[in-house]
Amino acid sequence: MAIINDYVICKAFRVILQPGLQWIASSAFDGKTITRNNRMNMKGLYLILLSFLFGCNLPDMQTGKEVSYYFDQPAQIWEETLPLGNDRIGMMPDGGIERENVVLNEISLWSGSKQDTDNPYAYYSLANIRRLLFEGRNDEAQDLMYKTFVCKGTGSNLGDGANAPYGSYQLFGNLVLRYTYPNESDSIAEYRRRLNLSEAIASVSFKRGNVNYQREMFTSFSGDLGVIHLVADADRALNFSLGMNRPEHATISLDGKDLLMRGQLPDGVDTLEMKGMRFASRVRIVLPKGGDLTATDSSLSVRSASEAIILVSLGTDYFDKDGVGQSLEKYLSQAESKDFSTLRREHTLAYRSLFDRVSLDLGKGERDHLPIHERLAAFAQDKNDPGLAALYFQFGRYLLISSTRQGLLPPNLQGLWCNTIHTPWNGDYHLNINLQMNHWPAEVTNLSELHLPLIEWTKQQVPSGERTAKAFYNARGWVTHILGNVWEFTAPGEHPSWGATNTSAAWLCEHLYTHYQYTLDKAYLRDVYPTMKGAAQFFVDMLVQDPRTKYLVTAPTTSPENAYKMPNGSVVSICAGSTMDNQILRELFTNTIEAAGILGVDSVFAAELAAKRDRLMPTTIGKDGRIMEWLEPYEEVEPTHRHVSHLYGLYPGNEISIEHTPELAEAARKSLEVRGDQSTGWSMAWKINFWARLQDGDHAYKLLGDLLRPCVDEHTKEVKGGGSYPNLFCAHPPFQIDGNFGGTAGIAEMLIQSQSGLIEFLPALPSAWKNGSFSGLKVRNGGEVSAKWTEGLLTEARLKAIVPGSFLIKLPANSANMSLKKNQKPVSLPVVDGKVTVDLLQGEEFVLQF
Ligand code: FUC
């Protein structure tokens, strides 16, 4: 009810204020008609009104709905807590009534340190490994490789790198709040624990006796610190103590009124002293309406208050040596000078500048009001809840906005959130799908700038990748394998069955070029071109002719992380060439050639790439009608393996399509059918995208249902199989965020596609999403698109040019009586082959109605 009231009030204000606001904005920022001083005042007025409009607890601008989910009880496991993040700082409160635990994270908190991991002897065995592969003695090649062609040192320490040089992304610590109540025997009523995605705020509210308690928490996008606001609606009814802890390597102390936690992690080399990354946190409590604040050496206590603001500042010295010193104090004092509503408003305003760019309405269901765990359970039985997919989609955008920011790091295997020292797989940057999948929604869901931390991270790997290229392959350019961390690890992993993948840099370069395709920003392309060129150059040197087939192949390599049976019965992973490698390399070479052409450079190199590209084995259909995963018709050991690497060319690549390569598309469909649907979380997310590209909306939706399958037993809390945790985190299991991002991208892929230069609205609409609309999605070549549909048929499509250019649009089947408008004026355009082309200047809009 409160939401509706807020909404109605704010909507009314909008209607009244918006026209005035527009006038003020044009005067303030255009400023031809007024003096400089007046313009400054106008600017101030504009910003105040704007922040008021955004600041009033307002739901989604386009749909009028608050995007949120809730629980009706405190969390019992971490995967029921609510993830908050401002890209750098993460908090996950469990909403406990007597004791509340808030897990703290910081995106750069890694143990380990920079090392030389290039094995100087590896290269000497390369020729022998290749010879054995070309003689068909793959098992022997693999044995030799296991002994010689691995990184120096312990690599990822088999996924337990916390105390090894490789390091691990780790829990920052816990903030523990212990609440006491005027009358402990009073019962609890009306408990709600909500994550509001529209505002990036977690809240808890309940009634104990006659007192209403309200908690709000956020990780501020404007102030770069954590904010917790506690309110009781009766005098002196708010009493609590606050402490901090961490399982190891931290000390707690008091500094004036602030509680401090300081520590240093192992660098993985010195086992006795901690010589790695430093970290620190400073917590301050403000009591705006009075109360008693006292402190011990390790805790702060508040008695007889009715309102408290807890400010949580934390940092590491990874980016900034001062990150553990003065900066912490600076964030606190800046925040302390503002009241809570200002802190909240500024935070929401900053967050919404990203979140509000896209709306998605897939229709109302009867389950919108259910607690999220009940909603997931109901969905597992009956898929008639279209709003759940829209929520999941926006949750993915929320997670991306919350876990990465320009100038910081890309989201790791768990985004920003972990609750242990030994994070699964070190919470690192796995590069044979996972880190890339984290960024699949970035462009299409209008969060293009959130692609940049990955792109910067990729560029940072180049010097180390060049050393690795030289040491292992005696090649120019740069290479990286499956493992990535914050210490520029680029060598092969310690176990070649998974560690030998060497097309990761090439795959990362697909992201570099995709960002260009969406933005057409030439200055950006000039900046990333050397990184693409270096990745391509590596393969110019590393590709070798297979004497049997005469094709150029990557060798040694794998098809991640699958194995096959040799005729002699041996189970082997290592091979010469794999379909995925070929698809990625064709794409890398094509993109690099295209980029060189756009920039007018390197024509000789481009010709060399084109010649090499022609000598790669094309994607081939095997006797069984499926796409061959390896270059030879090996029998796979695990036909339902989670990696579907040989369909890279279907998604995220673009060499297999229904329109241009129908036979390959059919073979891809067969491959998917044999692979099966059920798998780990991210694998199912990938398959949503595959089926969307095959334009089978119902199968994509079926996979979305599998991805949303509740994986935690309600009573025992035991976790079984891939799916979703109660808080919508994706379950590999364990929690891996790639599935969330892959699922979000998959939903977008069902609604809009532009990979072949053709814009197609609703290419894979499932029958479950009969009526709906979206706005603000992005297409390649710099367009922003919106659509509406009724009974499964597109009724309106809009395209706005963010970059001027020519856009090719595929018309739907029901286009016989369409009307076209450009900048609100009717136009008529020729229809060729069921498509129209429209030329738009920047900001111009084209509308198609059916
Ligand atoms: C890839 C996958 C695993 C896991 C790991 C983090 O190597 O094969 O399933 O997701 O990354």
Side-chain angles (χ1 to χ4, degrees):
M1 198 57 194
I3 295 163
I4 294 171
N5 285 341
D6 277 355
Y7 175 60
V8 171
I9 293 165
C10 287
K11 184 92 184 170
F13 270 108
R14 274 232 168 102
V15 170
I16 299 163
L17 287 176
Q18 216 128 11
L21 198 64
Q22 262 161 21
W23 177 79
I24 295 169
S26 59
S27 313
F29 292 99
D30 139 24
K32 286 190 192 108
T33 49
I34 53 176
T35 63
R36 188 174 179 277
N37 268 353
N38 281 346
R39 192 155 72 238
M40 293 313 287
N41 293 338
M42 285 290 197
K43 266 191 194 171
L45 182 59
Y46 174 76
L47 292 175
I48 290 166
L49 289 177
L50 192 70
S51 68
F52 173 77
L53 283 180
F54 276 102
C56 54
N57 221 355
L58 194 67
D60 184 296
M61 285 230 302
Q62 279 91 355
T63 62
K65 275 193 238 160
E66 176 191 89
V67 186
S68 68
Y69 67 72
Y70 78 94
F71 289 91
D72 54 6
Q73 56 199 15
Q76 291 174 48
I77 55 172
W78 178 64
E79 294 86 351
E80 287 174 348
T81 65
L82 305 177
L84 292 167
N86 74 347
D87 322 310
R88 191 175 72 80
I89 298 171
M91 301 204 303
M92 290 191 75
D94 67 12
I97 291 167
E98 318 283 345
R99 178 188 187 280
E100 178 162 43
N101 196 78
V102 183
V103 173
L104 302 175
N105 290 114
E106 212 274 0
I107 192 74
S108 63
L109 188 66
W110 269 78
S111 59
S113 50
K114 249 183 219 180
Q115 303 294 321
D116 171 10
T117 54
D118 293 325
N119 173 354
Y121 306 107
Y123 177 67
Y124 298 113
S125 61
L126 182 62
N128 273 336
I129 294 169
R130 285 178 170 165
R131 181 182 50 78
L132 290 167
L133 286 172
F134 296 145
E135 287 172 4
R137 295 154 69 188
N138 297 19
D139 42 359
E140 292 172 55
Q142 175 161 293
D143 286 348
L144 179 59
M145 202 167 167
Y146 280 15
K147 285 187 205 119
T148 59
F149 211 77
V150 290
C151 55
K152 184 163 91 185
T154 56
S156 71
N157 212 31
L158 295 177
D160 188 12
N163 296 312
Y166 186 83
S168 177
Y169 180 63
Q170 318 205 335
L171 161 78
F172 190 97
N174 294 292
L175 197 73
V176 182
L177 292 141
R178 290 173 200 278
Y179 302 97
T180 52
Y181 297 89
N183 189 349
E184 299 286 335
S185 61
D186 282 339
S187 58
I188 310 290
E190 297 164 33
Y191 182 94
R192 279 280 181 283
R193 186 163 64 85
R194 184 182 299 275
L195 181 62
N196 178 344
L197 309 180
S198 302
E199 298 190 304
I201 290 180
S203 62
V204 172
S205 59
F206 58 89
K207 205 168 175 167
R208 188 156 202 179
N210 291 325
V211 185
N212 288 301
Y213 290 91
Q214 169 85 28
R215 306 175 194 158
E216 283 197 315
M217 295 194 193
F218 55 88
T219 42
S220 174
F221 279 83
S222 50
D224 211 1
L225 81 170
V227 178
I228 302 174
H229 186 225
L230 307 175
V231 182
D233 73 352
D235 234 13
R236 305 157 73 90
L238 183 65
N239 301 289
F240 65 94
S241 69
L242 180 154
M244 271 191 285
N245 66 56
R246 188 176 199 277
E248 58 183 35
H249 306 318
T251 55
I252 313 290
S253 61
L254 200 69
D255 180 23
K257 289 185 302 172
D258 296 347
L259 193 62
L260 296 187
M261 179 165 75
R262 287 177 197 282
Q264 190 163 11
L265 298 185
D267 67 358
V269 181
D270 191 318
T271 51
L272 298 177
E273 282 187 56
M274 295 305 109
K275 291 187 174 165
M277 197 180 291
R278 288 172 203 277
F279 61 98
S281 168
R282 184 177 273 271
V283 178
R284 187 173 296 171
I285 299 181
V286 181
L287 300 175
K289 296 196 182 130
D292 305 325
L293 175 64
T294 53
T296 69
D297 282 351
S298 59
S299 69
L300 303 174
S301 291
V302 169
R303 293 277 162 267
S304 307
S306 59
E307 180 183 358
I309 306 171
I310 304 167
L311 302 171
V312 186
S313 183
L314 46 102
T316 74
D317 66 357
Y318 179 68
F319 286 110
D320 169 13
K321 292 291 156 231
D322 196 38
V324 290
Q326 284 303 307
S327 306
L328 299 180
E329 159 64 31
K330 187 186 76 194
Y331 292 129
L332 289 185
S333 43
Q334 278 168 356
E336 197 179 5
S337 67
K338 295 171 182 171
D339 61 16
F340 177 70
S341 62
T342 306
L343 291 173
R344 190 187 195 284
R345 188 172 58 245
E346 288 177 351
H347 154 71
T348 319
L349 188 61
Y351 165 72
R352 294 186 69 156
S353 67
L354 293 165
F355 186 75
D356 282 355
R357 292 175 186 173
V358 173
S359 74
L360 175 61
D361 183 357
L362 295 174
K364 252 198 157 336
E366 283 156 17
R367 301 192 206 134
D368 294 3
H369 66 283
L370 287 180
I372 189 65
H373 56 288
E374 287 179 26
R375 200 169 171 186
L376 283 174
F379 193 70
Q381 303 306 320
D382 165 11
K383 299 285 177 285
N384 186 18
D385 183 0
L388 185 58
L391 172 65
Y392 192 75
F393 169 84
Q394 289 291 28
F395 183 59
R397 294 186 67 245
Y398 166 81
L399 291 176
L400 192 62
I401 298 169
S402 306
S403 62
T404 191
R405 171 201 319 174
Q406 246 174 298
L408 298 183
L409 290 160
N412 59 47
L413 276 172
Q414 299 198 175
L416 166 65
W417 300 277
C418 76
N419 66 337
T420 53
I421 301 293
H422 301 263
T423 308
W425 289 284
N426 300 318
D428 71 4
Y429 300 117
H430 261 56
L431 302 174
N432 64 2
I433 176 105
N434 317 85
L435 180 62
Q436 291 92 336
M437 185 180 276
N438 284 1
H439 296 82
W440 287 354
E443 299 293 339
V444 66
T445 76
N446 210 336
L447 298 170
S448 190
E449 62 269 62
L450 302 185
H451 218 161
L452 296 173
L454 171 78
I455 290 164
E456 281 308 312
W457 181 86
T458 301
K459 283 161 57 187
Q460 270 164 29
Q461 309 312 303
V462 173
S464 167
E466 285 173 344
R467 290 191 294 272
T468 300
K470 197 91 203 131
F472 284 81
Y473 306 90
N474 192 27
R476 295 168 301 163
W478 73 284
V479 64
T480 187
H481 298 78
I482 180 181
L483 298 172
N485 61 10
V486 296
W487 309 121
E488 292 157 24
F489 187 100
T490 51
E494 66 270 26
H495 201 283
S497 67
W498 47 264
T501 304
N502 53 49
T503 37
S504 300
W507 190 338
L508 287 166
C509 286
E510 190 255 334
H511 286 259
L512 269 52
Y513 199 62
T514 299
H515 182 72
Y516 171 75
Q517 288 175 316
Y518 274 88
T519 59
L520 300 187
D521 179 345
K522 243 174 144 175
Y524 156 82
L525 187 63
R526 196 164 294 117
D527 179 52
V528 297
Y529 175 74
T531 305
M532 294 173 64
K533 181 180 175 184
Q537 206 155 34
F538 168 75
F539 288 102
V540 166
D541 287 3
M542 187 267 204
L543 283 170
V544 52
Q545 180 171 295
D546 183 336
R548 299 163 298 178
T549 60
K550 311 285 185 251
Y551 284 122
L552 289 182
V553 293
T554 45
T557 191
T558 62
S559 181
E561 300 173 23
N562 210 352
Y564 56 89
K565 269 191 213 136
M566 287 182 58
N568 68 7
S570 306
V571 171
V572 181
S573 310
I574 303 304
C575 58
S578 66
T579 297
M580 181 188 88
D581 283 7
N582 284 342
Q583 294 174 347
I584 291 181
L585 292 189
R586 260 192 294 277
E587 180 179 67
L588 172 70
F589 289 179
T590 303
N591 291 345
T592 309
I593 294 167
E594 223 172 84
I598 294 165
L599 299 172
V601 296
D602 285 339
S603 56
V604 176
F605 180 61
E608 191 181 4
L609 290 182
K612 295 253 173 189
R613 183 182 56 186
D614 289 349
R615 295 180 57 202
L616 298 167
M617 177 166 142
T619 300
T620 305
I621 303 172
K623 283 210 181 79
D624 54 10
R626 294 186 278 151
I627 303 277
M628 285 173 68
E629 180 161 355
W630 296 275
L631 308 194
E632 292 176 68
Y634 297 133
E635 183 193 340
E636 66 260 70
V637 173
E638 197 187 333
T640 57
H641 197 274
R642 60 195 178 284
H643 285 265
V644 200
S645 311
H646 49 313
L647 298 195
Y648 176 94
L650 177 62
Y651 188 96
N654 180 34
E655 74 167 50
I656 303 176
S657 72
I658 291 197
E659 179 148 345
H660 301 291
T661 60
E663 296 84 15
L664 288 180
E666 187 46 37
R669 172 185 287 273
K670 279 212 181 97
S671 304
L672 281 172
E673 279 162 4
V674 175
R675 220 53 159 200
D677 293 341
Q678 211 62 52
S679 194
T680 55
W682 61 259
S683 175
M684 296 191 284
W686 196 358
K687 289 169 190 161
I688 299 174
N689 291 276
F690 287 140
W691 286 105
R693 283 279 168 96
L694 291 174
Q695 308 207 333
D696 188 336
D698 282 339
H699 205 129
Y701 188 66
K702 144 85 177 55
L703 252 317
L704 181 62
D706 293 341
L707 186 64
L708 285 166
R709 186 191 71 86
C711 70
V712 178
D713 183 284
E714 180 86 41
H715 306 292
T716 63
K717 301 291 171 194
E718 202 187 325
V719 180
K720 270 211 192 108
S724 292
Y725 289 102
N727 66 0
L728 291 186
F729 268 178
C730 184
H732 179 287
F735 164 48
Q736 254 183 237
I737 207 160
D738 40 19
N740 286 99
F741 293 134
T744 300
I747 293 169
E749 206 64 24
M750 291 158 81
L751 300 170
I752 191 78
Q753 291 181 20
S754 65
Q755 65 278 5
S756 59
L758 173 73
I759 301 169
E760 191 164 358
F761 289 89
L762 310 183
L765 191 70
S767 40
W769 299 346
K770 278 198 169 40
N771 305 305
S773 64
F774 67 78
S775 70
L777 294 180
K778 283 287 194 75
V779 291
R780 288 163 184 83
N781 296 331
E784 192 171 299
V785 288
S786 307
K788 289 184 186 152
W789 65 95
T790 308
E791 294 301 320
L793 294 177
L794 188 65
T795 54
E796 183 180 284
R798 284 172 182 266
L799 165 70
K800 188 166 156 196
I802 306 302
V803 180
S806 220
F807 297 87
L808 182 65
I809 301 169
K810 182 166 174 183
L811 298 172
N814 58 317
S815 63
N817 299 317
M818 69 177 175
S819 75
L820 306 179
K821 282 188 189 145
K822 190 168 148 181
N823 290 336
Q824 291 160 9
K825 292 201 189 94
V827 284
S828 95
L829 292 170
V831 176
V832 181
D833 229 1
K835 296 160 196 154
V836 289
T837 302
V838 63
D839 295 325
L840 297 176
L841 298 174
Q842 187 170 17
E844 284 192 327
E845 195 178 31
F846 183 56
V847 183
L848 305 93
Q849 274 163 332
F850 308 100

